[in-house]
Every structure is written in C-alpha cells, then in structure tokens.
Amino acid sequence: MNGIYFDNAATTVPKPETVIAAVEQAMRTLGNSGRGAYEAALGSMRTVYHAREQAARIFGAGSPSQIAFTMNATEALNMAIKGLIRPGDHVITTVLEHNSVLRPLYELEERGASLSFLPCDEKGAVRLELLEEQLRPETRAVVCTHASNVTGNGVDAARIGHFCREHGLLFLLDASQSAGILETDLEKLGADVICFTGHKGLFGPQGTGGLCVRKGVEITPLLSGGSGIRSFQRRHPQEMPARLEAGTLNAHGLAGLAAGIDFVLEKGIGTIRQREQALVRRFQEGIRELPQIRIYGDPMAEDHTGVISFNIGEYDSALVSDELWVRFGIASRPGAHCAPRMHEALGTKEQGVVRFSFSWFNTEEEIDAGIAAVRALAQERR
C-alpha cells in the first residue's frame, strides 16, 4: 500500500509474506474439502484440519473439533448468540459492544429476551464491579467484547469467566480485537464460546473466522446444508465441527489463516502486544500536550491493544481523517466504528473519533510521521 497504514483494527495491512504464499499455493492446488478422495480434495481436507489445529492452539481448545470456521466474527457471533439465547432469557452485555454483538441481541430482545448493559467509566473501561447487580433469576449469559475497537481498552475476561462459573452462566467472548494480541485461552478465561475473525490480529485473509466452543456447549446451528457426510440424513450432522459448518469451507483463506497464526505464534503474542503498546504510547506522548487534543481510553493500561483514538477540538473526525489521507498519506478510521453505545458513553455520538490502530509491521518512523501530521492539524485549528 502507498502511504502509511494506521487502520489495522479494521484489517491488518500488510500480511506476512508467508500468508500470501499460502493463499496463492492453495488457490493453485486445492479442491473442495470433504468432497472427494483425490489429491486436490484430500489436500484441502489436510489444509482445513491444519487450520483447526492452529486455531485450537491459540484459543486453548483441547481438540481441533472444538473449532468451527465461519466467514468472519459477525457470522460466528450470530451463530453463538442466536444458537444459545432463547426467548425469556436475560443477557448481560456492555456499552463497549460492536454492532455484531448488539444487533443479534436486539433481534432476540424483540423475540422476548431481555438485556442489561454494564456501563463504562470516564476512560471507557467497563465497570465489572457492577456485574452482581445485573443478575436476575432468568440470566443465562454474559456476552461481551474482549477489547474495545474504539478505545483499545481490554476487558478482564478471566474475571467475567469466574463470575459466570460461580453463577452457572454461559460466557460468550468476542475476540475480534484481541485474538493474536491478548490472551485468548478458552480454559484460562473461563469462556464457553470465543468468536474470532482471521483478518485482524491473526494476520489471515478476509473471509475467515470462527468459533472455539467448550465441549458440552451445544449451539443450535444457524445454517444447514451440504456437509460432505451423511447425505441421506434429513437433519444436518450434529457433531462438531460439522454441526456449525454448512457448505463449502474457504480452504484458500484458511490456508492463509493457518499461516497467519503460525506467524503470531512464532513472534509470540506477548511480544506482539508489547510492540503495539510501545507504538501506542509513543504516539500518545507525541500528541497529548497538543492544543485541543483529547485522547480516549487508557493507552497506559496493561491490557491495551494497538488502538488509540483522539479528537482535535470540535473538528469533525471524518474531516480530520480525510485531511490525514489527502495531505499526509495516512490511512485512519473516523466515525462511530459500529459501536454506538461506546460513543454515547464517551460523548462522541455526533463528532465520532479518529482512530489510529497499529500492528507488528508499523514502525517508529511512521508513528513520528503521524505525530507530525496531527500536530500540524491541531495547530491550524487554534
């Protein structure tokens, strides 16, 4: 890409060369997984299984069969939420949530479920101390993000997992912003389902994602259809992972996802997080004293991701983002980021925020260029 790319929370750019090579090789050689006994089909089956193994490693699953693949985290979250929550159930969630959590929950609310929202503090950190107050006899689940896509604040998922175990609740975790950056071990976090996407912190291609499901948790399938097995059976197969996978899998993309996870595991999640945090803190130090700058979230927090969001006075975030691209060649993300309740809580519903999000491939020189660009815009608005 030409210019400086600071929109990695939307999708990581660039991808590791090993990911690109894996996708190219798969597109040249792979057939349809589970649809034949010839080499192209068998190669596709092996590729998909390897991707399951790698996903099982990064999400702490005891078996690759606990991984079901989808086209993205939105599909995975719809599967988990609509497949586990029933009319009459009560769900606890948070104001940090993306619309991929909110909209399925709103649909269920229309069908008779009820919702409670944990608020956040002035830095955008969710107030987990209020969990107990939200409990009702009909509470069935806690559904929440692992990290805000607006502020970069992490959520103490292990604390939520412990709370859910104590009270016999399901815990559904959205790891869209955390996979590859924060600890996402199913057992350590006490989660029942972790939903993930492949194209962000796991460095995989778009069109990949999935669910990591605790053994014994039975999600009612969202889709049914061809599976390559039990073709004369009227019902879709019920065993995992076929239970949640109908139709042709994206073997080409999953080859890239496996290579992306290889890259993450080779570098080390802790190392990646430290690098991203260092870039965030360098940028914060460079802009925080500038006139009219307001930074959202808590970039100094231990569990912060590679996201930092800011505004310049009353300057509309979309106009700032346009100026950054047109004048300085810096790609950023303005607006609401599909997280309306977070913006209502931050008081940025009308203005939105400008989001910079960094990844492994960003450099200190790029951060300094970003600081200089924001400094120029801030001084112009004095």
Side-chain angles (χ1 to χ4, degrees), residues 58-59 145-148 152-157 173-175 177-185 189 194 201-202 264 268-270 272-274 276-277 301-306:
I58 209 159
F59 294 109
T145 187
H146 197 188
S148 170
N153 289 344
V155 173
D156 189 347
L173 185 66
D174 175 9
Q177 293 293 322
S178 63
I181 302 166
L182 302 178
E183 174 67 70
T184 53
D185 187 290
L189 299 181
I194 296 177
L202 296 180
V264 170
I269 290 175
I272 291 173
R273 181 175 64 255
Q274 288 170 10
E276 292 187 6
Q277 287 175 341
E302 181 98 14
D303 58 354
H304 201 271
T305 64

PDB file of all heavy atoms in Angstrom, residues 58-59 145-148 152-157 173-175 177-185 189 194 201-202 264 268-270 272-274 276-277 301-306:
ATOM      1  N   ILE A  58      -4.141 -21.537  19.579  1.00  0.00           N
ATOM      2  CA  ILE A  58      -4.163 -20.140  20.020  1.00  0.00           C
ATOM      3  C   ILE A  58      -5.357 -19.848  20.920  1.00  0.00           C
ATOM      4  O   ILE A  58      -5.328 -18.909  21.719  1.00  0.00           O
ATOM      5  CB  ILE A  58      -4.113 -19.196  18.800  1.00  0.00           C
ATOM      6  CG1 ILE A  58      -3.431 -17.884  19.202  1.00  0.00           C
ATOM      7  CG2 ILE A  58      -5.497 -18.929  18.207  1.00  0.00           C
ATOM      8  CD1 ILE A  58      -2.883 -17.090  18.044  1.00  0.00           C
ATOM      9  N   PHE A  59      -6.431 -20.682  20.824  1.00  0.00           N
ATOM     10  CA  PHE A  59      -7.596 -20.474  21.671  1.00  0.00           C
ATOM     11  C   PHE A  59      -7.697 -21.501  22.798  1.00  0.00           C
ATOM     12  O   PHE A  59      -8.697 -21.544  23.515  1.00  0.00           O
ATOM     13  CB  PHE A  59      -8.873 -20.471  20.834  1.00  0.00           C
ATOM     14  CG  PHE A  59      -8.949 -19.296  19.894  1.00  0.00           C
ATOM     15  CD1 PHE A  59      -8.805 -19.466  18.531  1.00  0.00           C
ATOM     16  CD2 PHE A  59      -9.125 -18.006  20.386  1.00  0.00           C
ATOM     17  CE1 PHE A  59      -8.845 -18.382  17.661  1.00  0.00           C
ATOM     18  CE2 PHE A  59      -9.160 -16.921  19.531  1.00  0.00           C
ATOM     19  CZ  PHE A  59      -9.019 -17.110  18.168  1.00  0.00           C
ATOM     20  N   THR A 145     -17.281  -8.049  24.435  1.00  0.00           N
ATOM     21  CA  THR A 145     -16.028  -7.949  23.705  1.00  0.00           C
ATOM     22  C   THR A 145     -14.845  -8.149  24.653  1.00  0.00           C
ATOM     23  O   THR A 145     -14.953  -7.906  25.860  1.00  0.00           O
ATOM     24  CB  THR A 145     -15.915  -6.583  23.012  1.00  0.00           C
ATOM     25  OG1 THR A 145     -14.753  -6.577  22.181  1.00  0.00           O
ATOM     26  CG2 THR A 145     -15.817  -5.441  24.016  1.00  0.00           C
ATOM     27  N   HIS A 146     -13.731  -8.567  24.092  1.00  0.00           N
ATOM     28  CA  HIS A 146     -12.503  -8.725  24.872  1.00  0.00           C
ATOM     29  C   HIS A 146     -11.675  -7.442  24.874  1.00  0.00           C
ATOM     30  O   HIS A 146     -10.829  -7.242  25.742  1.00  0.00           O
ATOM     31  CB  HIS A 146     -11.687  -9.882  24.292  1.00  0.00           C
ATOM     32  CG  HIS A 146     -10.638 -10.408  25.205  1.00  0.00           C
ATOM     33  ND1 HIS A 146      -9.706 -11.340  24.811  1.00  0.00           N
ATOM     34  CD2 HIS A 146     -10.353 -10.156  26.502  1.00  0.00           C
ATOM     35  CE1 HIS A 146      -8.903 -11.624  25.808  1.00  0.00           C
ATOM     36  NE2 HIS A 146      -9.260 -10.918  26.850  1.00  0.00           N
ATOM     37  N   ALA A 147     -11.921  -6.581  23.882  1.00  0.00           N
ATOM     38  CA  ALA A 147     -11.227  -5.292  23.800  1.00  0.00           C
ATOM     39  C   ALA A 147     -12.061  -4.360  22.936  1.00  0.00           C
ATOM     40  O   ALA A 147     -12.594  -4.771  21.902  1.00  0.00           O
ATOM     41  CB  ALA A 147      -9.826  -5.451  23.214  1.00  0.00           C
ATOM     42  N   SER A 148     -12.143  -3.106  23.347  1.00  0.00           N
ATOM     43  CA  SER A 148     -12.929  -2.128  22.601  1.00  0.00           C
ATOM     44  C   SER A 148     -12.245  -1.773  21.287  1.00  0.00           C
ATOM     45  O   SER A 148     -11.054  -1.477  21.268  1.00  0.00           O
ATOM     46  CB  SER A 148     -13.121  -0.861  23.438  1.00  0.00           C
ATOM     47  OG  SER A 148     -13.671   0.175  22.658  1.00  0.00           O
ATOM     48  N   GLY A 152      -9.439   0.742  22.458  1.00  0.00           N
ATOM     49  CA  GLY A 152      -8.332  -0.184  22.666  1.00  0.00           C
ATOM     50  C   GLY A 152      -8.268  -0.750  24.062  1.00  0.00           C
ATOM     51  O   GLY A 152      -7.411  -1.591  24.360  1.00  0.00           O
ATOM     52  N   ASN A 153      -9.184  -0.328  24.952  1.00  0.00           N
ATOM     53  CA  ASN A 153      -9.194  -0.861  26.315  1.00  0.00           C
ATOM     54  C   ASN A 153      -9.519  -2.355  26.305  1.00  0.00           C
ATOM     55  O   ASN A 153     -10.502  -2.773  25.682  1.00  0.00           O
ATOM     56  CB  ASN A 153     -10.248  -0.154  27.162  1.00  0.00           C
ATOM     57  CG  ASN A 153      -9.881   1.276  27.495  1.00  0.00           C
ATOM     58  OD1 ASN A 153      -8.732   1.684  27.360  1.00  0.00           O
ATOM     59  ND2 ASN A 153     -10.861   2.047  27.945  1.00  0.00           N
ATOM     60  N   GLY A 154      -8.722  -3.134  27.028  1.00  0.00           N
ATOM     61  CA  GLY A 154      -9.037  -4.536  27.207  1.00  0.00           C
ATOM     62  C   GLY A 154     -10.078  -4.722  28.293  1.00  0.00           C
ATOM     63  O   GLY A 154     -10.323  -3.829  29.114  1.00  0.00           O
ATOM     64  N   VAL A 155     -10.711  -5.881  28.291  1.00  0.00           N
ATOM     65  CA  VAL A 155     -11.699  -6.253  29.301  1.00  0.00           C
ATOM     66  C   VAL A 155     -11.157  -7.458  30.051  1.00  0.00           C
ATOM     67  O   VAL A 155     -10.611  -8.383  29.445  1.00  0.00           O
ATOM     68  CB  VAL A 155     -13.054  -6.584  28.642  1.00  0.00           C
ATOM     69  CG1 VAL A 155     -14.043  -7.124  29.659  1.00  0.00           C
ATOM     70  CG2 VAL A 155     -13.628  -5.347  27.946  1.00  0.00           C
ATOM     71  N   ASP A 156     -11.310  -7.466  31.370  1.00  0.00           N
ATOM     72  CA  ASP A 156     -10.823  -8.575  32.196  1.00  0.00           C
ATOM     73  C   ASP A 156     -11.737  -9.782  32.010  1.00  0.00           C
ATOM     74  O   ASP A 156     -12.631 -10.050  32.804  1.00  0.00           O
ATOM     75  CB  ASP A 156     -10.780  -8.143  33.666  1.00  0.00           C
ATOM     76  CG  ASP A 156     -10.073  -9.164  34.546  1.00  0.00           C
ATOM     77  OD1 ASP A 156      -9.834 -10.295  34.094  1.00  0.00           O
ATOM     78  OD2 ASP A 156      -9.777  -8.818  35.717  1.00  0.00           O
ATOM     79  N   ALA A 157     -11.477 -10.524  30.921  1.00  0.00           N
ATOM     80  CA  ALA A 157     -12.339 -11.651  30.576  1.00  0.00           C
ATOM     81  C   ALA A 157     -12.250 -12.765  31.613  1.00  0.00           C
ATOM     82  O   ALA A 157     -13.251 -13.449  31.870  1.00  0.00           O
ATOM     83  CB  ALA A 157     -11.966 -12.188  29.195  1.00  0.00           C
ATOM     84  N   LEU A 173     -17.508 -14.721  24.343  1.00  0.00           N
ATOM     85  CA  LEU A 173     -16.496 -13.680  24.230  1.00  0.00           C
ATOM     86  C   LEU A 173     -16.234 -13.343  22.769  1.00  0.00           C
ATOM     87  O   LEU A 173     -15.954 -14.223  21.951  1.00  0.00           O
ATOM     88  CB  LEU A 173     -15.196 -14.143  24.884  1.00  0.00           C
ATOM     89  CG  LEU A 173     -14.065 -13.118  24.956  1.00  0.00           C
ATOM     90  CD1 LEU A 173     -14.432 -11.956  25.874  1.00  0.00           C
ATOM     91  CD2 LEU A 173     -12.769 -13.775  25.427  1.00  0.00           C
ATOM     92  N   ASP A 174     -16.298 -12.056  22.448  1.00  0.00           N
ATOM     93  CA  ASP A 174     -15.965 -11.552  21.122  1.00  0.00           C
ATOM     94  C   ASP A 174     -14.482 -11.183  21.107  1.00  0.00           C
ATOM     95  O   ASP A 174     -14.074 -10.186  21.696  1.00  0.00           O
ATOM     96  CB  ASP A 174     -16.835 -10.340  20.792  1.00  0.00           C
ATOM     97  CG  ASP A 174     -16.463  -9.666  19.472  1.00  0.00           C
ATOM     98  OD1 ASP A 174     -15.649 -10.239  18.720  1.00  0.00           O
ATOM     99  OD2 ASP A 174     -16.990  -8.575  19.211  1.00  0.00           O
ATOM    100  N   ALA A 175     -13.688 -12.000  20.419  1.00  0.00           N
ATOM    101  CA  ALA A 175     -12.233 -11.783  20.379  1.00  0.00           C
ATOM    102  C   ALA A 175     -11.785 -11.134  19.076  1.00  0.00           C
ATOM    103  O   ALA A 175     -10.614 -11.251  18.696  1.00  0.00           O
ATOM    104  CB  ALA A 175     -11.509 -13.108  20.585  1.00  0.00           C
ATOM    105  N   GLN A 177     -11.049  -8.118  18.363  1.00  0.00           N
ATOM    106  CA  GLN A 177      -9.971  -7.144  18.545  1.00  0.00           C
ATOM    107  C   GLN A 177      -8.813  -7.676  19.387  1.00  0.00           C
ATOM    108  O   GLN A 177      -7.807  -6.987  19.548  1.00  0.00           O
ATOM    109  CB  GLN A 177     -10.526  -5.874  19.192  1.00  0.00           C
ATOM    110  CG  GLN A 177     -11.488  -5.101  18.317  1.00  0.00           C
ATOM    111  CD  GLN A 177     -10.818  -4.504  17.098  1.00  0.00           C
ATOM    112  OE1 GLN A 177      -9.682  -4.039  17.156  1.00  0.00           O
ATOM    113  NE2 GLN A 177     -11.519  -4.516  15.980  1.00  0.00           N
ATOM    114  N   SER A 178      -8.956  -8.888  19.919  1.00  0.00           N
ATOM    115  CA  SER A 178      -7.941  -9.373  20.855  1.00  0.00           C
ATOM    116  C   SER A 178      -7.147 -10.572  20.360  1.00  0.00           C
ATOM    117  O   SER A 178      -6.015 -10.794  20.807  1.00  0.00           O
ATOM    118  CB  SER A 178      -8.594  -9.739  22.193  1.00  0.00           C
ATOM    119  OG  SER A 178      -9.530 -10.798  22.028  1.00  0.00           O
ATOM    120  N   ALA A 179      -7.722 -11.374  19.470  1.00  0.00           N
ATOM    121  CA  ALA A 179      -7.029 -12.581  19.034  1.00  0.00           C
ATOM    122  C   ALA A 179      -5.695 -12.226  18.388  1.00  0.00           C
ATOM    123  O   ALA A 179      -5.618 -11.398  17.483  1.00  0.00           O
ATOM    124  CB  ALA A 179      -7.897 -13.358  18.050  1.00  0.00           C
ATOM    125  N   GLY A 180      -4.635 -12.824  18.880  1.00  0.00           N
ATOM    126  CA  GLY A 180      -3.288 -12.537  18.407  1.00  0.00           C
ATOM    127  C   GLY A 180      -2.595 -11.428  19.167  1.00  0.00           C
ATOM    128  O   GLY A 180      -1.408 -11.166  18.947  1.00  0.00           O
ATOM    129  N   ILE A 181      -3.341 -10.779  20.092  1.00  0.00           N
ATOM    130  CA  ILE A 181      -2.776  -9.644  20.835  1.00  0.00           C
ATOM    131  C   ILE A 181      -2.877  -9.866  22.348  1.00  0.00           C
ATOM    132  O   ILE A 181      -1.924  -9.625  23.084  1.00  0.00           O
ATOM    133  CB  ILE A 181      -3.509  -8.338  20.455  1.00  0.00           C
ATOM    134  CG1 ILE A 181      -3.410  -8.100  18.946  1.00  0.00           C
ATOM    135  CG2 ILE A 181      -2.939  -7.140  21.221  1.00  0.00           C
ATOM    136  CD1 ILE A 181      -4.367  -7.057  18.426  1.00  0.00           C
ATOM    137  N   LEU A 182      -4.041 -10.334  22.811  1.00  0.00           N
ATOM    138  CA  LEU A 182      -4.251 -10.633  24.228  1.00  0.00           C
ATOM    139  C   LEU A 182      -4.381 -12.144  24.417  1.00  0.00           C
ATOM    140  O   LEU A 182      -4.569 -12.888  23.459  1.00  0.00           O
ATOM    141  CB  LEU A 182      -5.516  -9.938  24.745  1.00  0.00           C
ATOM    142  CG  LEU A 182      -5.587  -8.412  24.615  1.00  0.00           C
ATOM    143  CD1 LEU A 182      -6.932  -7.904  25.145  1.00  0.00           C
ATOM    144  CD2 LEU A 182      -4.434  -7.743  25.341  1.00  0.00           C
ATOM    145  N   GLU A 183      -4.317 -12.584  25.658  1.00  0.00           N
ATOM    146  CA  GLU A 183      -4.506 -13.994  25.995  1.00  0.00           C
ATOM    147  C   GLU A 183      -5.927 -14.415  25.638  1.00  0.00           C
ATOM    148  O   GLU A 183      -6.903 -13.815  26.093  1.00  0.00           O
ATOM    149  CB  GLU A 183      -4.272 -14.199  27.493  1.00  0.00           C
ATOM    150  CG  GLU A 183      -4.580 -15.600  28.000  1.00  0.00           C
ATOM    151  CD  GLU A 183      -3.622 -16.640  27.451  1.00  0.00           C
ATOM    152  OE1 GLU A 183      -2.447 -16.619  27.849  1.00  0.00           O
ATOM    153  OE2 GLU A 183      -4.064 -17.453  26.612  1.00  0.00           O
ATOM    154  N   THR A 184      -6.077 -15.453  24.801  1.00  0.00           N
ATOM    155  CA  THR A 184      -7.406 -15.903  24.388  1.00  0.00           C
ATOM    156  C   THR A 184      -7.593 -17.399  24.632  1.00  0.00           C
ATOM    157  O   THR A 184      -8.269 -18.086  23.864  1.00  0.00           O
ATOM    158  CB  THR A 184      -7.649 -15.592  22.895  1.00  0.00           C
ATOM    159  OG1 THR A 184      -6.570 -16.121  22.109  1.00  0.00           O
ATOM    160  CG2 THR A 184      -7.792 -14.096  22.659  1.00  0.00           C
ATOM    161  N   ASP A 185      -7.035 -17.901  25.709  1.00  0.00           N
ATOM    162  CA  ASP A 185      -7.161 -19.318  26.052  1.00  0.00           C
ATOM    163  C   ASP A 185      -8.535 -19.575  26.662  1.00  0.00           C
ATOM    164  O   ASP A 185      -8.898 -19.000  27.678  1.00  0.00           O
ATOM    165  CB  ASP A 185      -6.057 -19.706  27.034  1.00  0.00           C
ATOM    166  CG  ASP A 185      -6.025 -21.193  27.317  1.00  0.00           C
ATOM    167  OD1 ASP A 185      -6.949 -21.690  27.981  1.00  0.00           O
ATOM    168  OD2 ASP A 185      -5.069 -21.854  26.890  1.00  0.00           O
ATOM    169  N   LEU A 189      -9.601 -18.270  30.470  1.00  0.00           N
ATOM    170  CA  LEU A 189     -10.565 -17.178  30.561  1.00  0.00           C
ATOM    171  C   LEU A 189     -11.914 -17.647  31.083  1.00  0.00           C
ATOM    172  O   LEU A 189     -12.766 -16.822  31.430  1.00  0.00           O
ATOM    173  CB  LEU A 189     -10.743 -16.509  29.196  1.00  0.00           C
ATOM    174  CG  LEU A 189      -9.497 -15.865  28.594  1.00  0.00           C
ATOM    175  CD1 LEU A 189      -9.835 -15.221  27.258  1.00  0.00           C
ATOM    176  CD2 LEU A 189      -8.882 -14.840  29.549  1.00  0.00           C
ATOM    177  N   ILE A 194     -15.629 -18.627  22.219  1.00  0.00           N
ATOM    178  CA  ILE A 194     -14.843 -17.483  21.770  1.00  0.00           C
ATOM    179  C   ILE A 194     -15.077 -17.333  20.270  1.00  0.00           C
ATOM    180  O   ILE A 194     -14.867 -18.274  19.499  1.00  0.00           O
ATOM    181  CB  ILE A 194     -13.337 -17.660  22.045  1.00  0.00           C
ATOM    182  CG1 ILE A 194     -13.075 -17.727  23.550  1.00  0.00           C
ATOM    183  CG2 ILE A 194     -12.536 -16.518  21.420  1.00  0.00           C
ATOM    184  CD1 ILE A 194     -11.619 -17.963  23.920  1.00  0.00           C
ATOM    185  N   GLY A 201      -5.819  -9.334  14.024  1.00  0.00           N
ATOM    186  CA  GLY A 201      -4.603  -9.671  14.745  1.00  0.00           C
ATOM    187  C   GLY A 201      -4.028 -11.030  14.438  1.00  0.00           C
ATOM    188  O   GLY A 201      -2.891 -11.327  14.843  1.00  0.00           O
ATOM    189  N   LEU A 202      -4.763 -11.887  13.725  1.00  0.00           N
ATOM    190  CA  LEU A 202      -4.225 -13.188  13.327  1.00  0.00           C
ATOM    191  C   LEU A 202      -3.575 -13.141  11.948  1.00  0.00           C
ATOM    192  O   LEU A 202      -3.053 -14.152  11.471  1.00  0.00           O
ATOM    193  CB  LEU A 202      -5.328 -14.253  13.356  1.00  0.00           C
ATOM    194  CG  LEU A 202      -5.927 -14.528  14.741  1.00  0.00           C
ATOM    195  CD1 LEU A 202      -7.013 -15.597  14.648  1.00  0.00           C
ATOM    196  CD2 LEU A 202      -4.863 -14.944  15.752  1.00  0.00           C
ATOM    197  N   VAL A 264       1.959 -15.457  14.220  1.00  0.00           N
ATOM    198  CA  VAL A 264       1.700 -14.949  15.567  1.00  0.00           C
ATOM    199  C   VAL A 264       2.391 -15.801  16.627  1.00  0.00           C
ATOM    200  O   VAL A 264       3.032 -15.281  17.549  1.00  0.00           O
ATOM    201  CB  VAL A 264       0.177 -14.887  15.831  1.00  0.00           C
ATOM    202  CG1 VAL A 264      -0.111 -14.592  17.306  1.00  0.00           C
ATOM    203  CG2 VAL A 264      -0.477 -13.830  14.953  1.00  0.00           C
ATOM    204  N   GLY A 268       5.219 -14.548  19.028  1.00  0.00           N
ATOM    205  CA  GLY A 268       4.793 -14.552  20.429  1.00  0.00           C
ATOM    206  C   GLY A 268       3.752 -13.481  20.682  1.00  0.00           C
ATOM    207  O   GLY A 268       3.979 -12.303  20.354  1.00  0.00           O
ATOM    208  N   ILE A 269       2.610 -13.879  21.234  1.00  0.00           N
ATOM    209  CA  ILE A 269       1.527 -12.922  21.486  1.00  0.00           C
ATOM    210  C   ILE A 269       2.001 -11.801  22.406  1.00  0.00           C
ATOM    211  O   ILE A 269       1.708 -10.627  22.167  1.00  0.00           O
ATOM    212  CB  ILE A 269       0.299 -13.648  22.076  1.00  0.00           C
ATOM    213  CG1 ILE A 269      -0.357 -14.527  21.006  1.00  0.00           C
ATOM    214  CG2 ILE A 269      -0.712 -12.650  22.636  1.00  0.00           C
ATOM    215  CD1 ILE A 269      -1.493 -15.382  21.520  1.00  0.00           C
ATOM    216  N   GLY A 270       2.740 -12.155  23.439  1.00  0.00           N
ATOM    217  CA  GLY A 270       3.234 -11.134  24.364  1.00  0.00           C
ATOM    218  C   GLY A 270       4.158 -10.138  23.668  1.00  0.00           C
ATOM    219  O   GLY A 270       4.099  -8.934  23.927  1.00  0.00           O
ATOM    220  N   ILE A 272       4.169  -9.361  20.441  1.00  0.00           N
ATOM    221  CA  ILE A 272       3.349  -8.529  19.550  1.00  0.00           C
ATOM    222  C   ILE A 272       2.633  -7.445  20.352  1.00  0.00           C
ATOM    223  O   ILE A 272       2.602  -6.275  19.952  1.00  0.00           O
ATOM    224  CB  ILE A 272       2.344  -9.404  18.775  1.00  0.00           C
ATOM    225  CG1 ILE A 272       3.094 -10.281  17.764  1.00  0.00           C
ATOM    226  CG2 ILE A 272       1.300  -8.537  18.069  1.00  0.00           C
ATOM    227  CD1 ILE A 272       2.221 -11.299  17.053  1.00  0.00           C
ATOM    228  N   ARG A 273       2.047  -7.833  21.480  1.00  0.00           N
ATOM    229  CA  ARG A 273       1.323  -6.850  22.301  1.00  0.00           C
ATOM    230  C   ARG A 273       2.267  -5.745  22.789  1.00  0.00           C
ATOM    231  O   ARG A 273       1.933  -4.562  22.727  1.00  0.00           O
ATOM    232  CB  ARG A 273       0.656  -7.536  23.489  1.00  0.00           C
ATOM    233  CG  ARG A 273      -0.130  -6.555  24.379  1.00  0.00           C
ATOM    234  CD  ARG A 273      -0.887  -7.256  25.478  1.00  0.00           C
ATOM    235  NE  ARG A 273      -0.016  -7.929  26.431  1.00  0.00           N
ATOM    236  CZ  ARG A 273       0.170  -9.239  26.482  1.00  0.00           C
ATOM    237  NH1 ARG A 273      -0.460 -10.042  25.644  1.00  0.00           N
ATOM    238  NH2 ARG A 273       0.978  -9.778  27.380  1.00  0.00           N
ATOM    239  N   GLN A 274       3.440  -6.122  23.251  1.00  0.00           N
ATOM    240  CA  GLN A 274       4.397  -5.133  23.745  1.00  0.00           C
ATOM    241  C   GLN A 274       4.811  -4.162  22.639  1.00  0.00           C
ATOM    242  O   GLN A 274       4.934  -2.960  22.886  1.00  0.00           O
ATOM    243  CB  GLN A 274       5.625  -5.841  24.319  1.00  0.00           C
ATOM    244  CG  GLN A 274       5.355  -6.549  25.639  1.00  0.00           C
ATOM    245  CD  GLN A 274       6.512  -7.435  26.062  1.00  0.00           C
ATOM    246  OE1 GLN A 274       7.592  -7.397  25.471  1.00  0.00           O
ATOM    247  NE2 GLN A 274       6.290  -8.248  27.087  1.00  0.00           N
ATOM    248  N   GLU A 276       3.039  -3.324  19.910  1.00  0.00           N
ATOM    249  CA  GLU A 276       1.905  -2.447  19.609  1.00  0.00           C
ATOM    250  C   GLU A 276       1.702  -1.411  20.708  1.00  0.00           C
ATOM    251  O   GLU A 276       1.434  -0.236  20.428  1.00  0.00           O
ATOM    252  CB  GLU A 276       0.638  -3.278  19.397  1.00  0.00           C
ATOM    253  CG  GLU A 276       0.675  -4.124  18.140  1.00  0.00           C
ATOM    254  CD  GLU A 276      -0.637  -4.809  17.834  1.00  0.00           C
ATOM    255  OE1 GLU A 276      -1.639  -4.549  18.545  1.00  0.00           O
ATOM    256  OE2 GLU A 276      -0.686  -5.612  16.885  1.00  0.00           O
ATOM    257  N   GLN A 277       1.810  -1.849  21.953  1.00  0.00           N
ATOM    258  CA  GLN A 277       1.652  -0.905  23.064  1.00  0.00           C
ATOM    259  C   GLN A 277       2.735   0.165  23.043  1.00  0.00           C
ATOM    260  O   GLN A 277       2.469   1.340  23.336  1.00  0.00           O
ATOM    261  CB  GLN A 277       1.666  -1.663  24.394  1.00  0.00           C
ATOM    262  CG  GLN A 277       0.401  -2.466  24.648  1.00  0.00           C
ATOM    263  CD  GLN A 277       0.490  -3.305  25.916  1.00  0.00           C
ATOM    264  OE1 GLN A 277       1.589  -3.565  26.427  1.00  0.00           O
ATOM    265  NE2 GLN A 277      -0.639  -3.729  26.434  1.00  0.00           N
ATOM    266  N   ALA A 301      -2.758   1.264  30.041  1.00  0.00           N
ATOM    267  CA  ALA A 301      -3.222   0.047  30.709  1.00  0.00           C
ATOM    268  C   ALA A 301      -2.474  -1.174  30.187  1.00  0.00           C
ATOM    269  O   ALA A 301      -2.079  -1.246  29.017  1.00  0.00           O
ATOM    270  CB  ALA A 301      -4.722  -0.125  30.506  1.00  0.00           C
ATOM    271  N   GLU A 302      -2.299  -2.139  31.073  1.00  0.00           N
ATOM    272  CA  GLU A 302      -1.549  -3.359  30.758  1.00  0.00           C
ATOM    273  C   GLU A 302      -2.179  -4.149  29.611  1.00  0.00           C
ATOM    274  O   GLU A 302      -1.477  -4.767  28.804  1.00  0.00           O
ATOM    275  CB  GLU A 302      -1.487  -4.250  32.005  1.00  0.00           C
ATOM    276  CG  GLU A 302      -0.714  -5.529  31.832  1.00  0.00           C
ATOM    277  CD  GLU A 302       0.707  -5.451  32.356  1.00  0.00           C
ATOM    278  OE1 GLU A 302       1.057  -4.520  33.089  1.00  0.00           O
ATOM    279  OE2 GLU A 302       1.449  -6.354  32.026  1.00  0.00           O
ATOM    280  N   ASP A 303      -3.515  -4.159  29.548  1.00  0.00           N
ATOM    281  CA  ASP A 303      -4.206  -4.977  28.560  1.00  0.00           C
ATOM    282  C   ASP A 303      -4.717  -4.150  27.381  1.00  0.00           C
ATOM    283  O   ASP A 303      -5.673  -4.532  26.707  1.00  0.00           O
ATOM    284  CB  ASP A 303      -5.367  -5.744  29.203  1.00  0.00           C
ATOM    285  CG  ASP A 303      -6.379  -4.822  29.876  1.00  0.00           C
ATOM    286  OD1 ASP A 303      -6.115  -3.603  29.947  1.00  0.00           O
ATOM    287  OD2 ASP A 303      -7.414  -5.323  30.341  1.00  0.00           O
ATOM    288  N   HIS A 304      -4.077  -3.030  27.116  1.00  0.00           N
ATOM    289  CA  HIS A 304      -4.467  -2.194  25.990  1.00  0.00           C
ATOM    290  C   HIS A 304      -3.958  -2.808  24.688  1.00  0.00           C
ATOM    291  O   HIS A 304      -2.901  -3.423  24.649  1.00  0.00           O
ATOM    292  CB  HIS A 304      -3.888  -0.784  26.168  1.00  0.00           C
ATOM    293  CG  HIS A 304      -4.598   0.264  25.378  1.00  0.00           C
ATOM    294  ND1 HIS A 304      -4.245   0.585  24.090  1.00  0.00           N
ATOM    295  CD2 HIS A 304      -5.642   1.052  25.679  1.00  0.00           C
ATOM    296  CE1 HIS A 304      -5.035   1.546  23.637  1.00  0.00           C
ATOM    297  NE2 HIS A 304      -5.900   1.840  24.576  1.00  0.00           N
ATOM    298  N   THR A 305      -4.736  -2.647  23.617  1.00  0.00           N
ATOM    299  CA  THR A 305      -4.324  -3.165  22.313  1.00  0.00           C
ATOM    300  C   THR A 305      -3.626  -2.060  21.517  1.00  0.00           C
ATOM    301  O   THR A 305      -3.244  -1.033  22.068  1.00  0.00           O
ATOM    302  CB  THR A 305      -5.545  -3.689  21.533  1.00  0.00           C
ATOM    303  OG1 THR A 305      -6.437  -2.597  21.266  1.00  0.00           O
ATOM    304  CG2 THR A 305      -6.286  -4.752  22.336  1.00  0.00           C
ATOM    305  N   GLY A 306      -3.478  -2.260  20.200  1.00  0.00           N
ATOM    306  CA  GLY A 306      -2.753  -1.291  19.383  1.00  0.00           C
ATOM    307  C   GLY A 306      -3.602  -0.148  18.869  1.00  0.00           C
ATOM    308  O   GLY A 306      -3.279   0.444  17.834  1.00  0.00           O
TER     309      GLY A 306
END
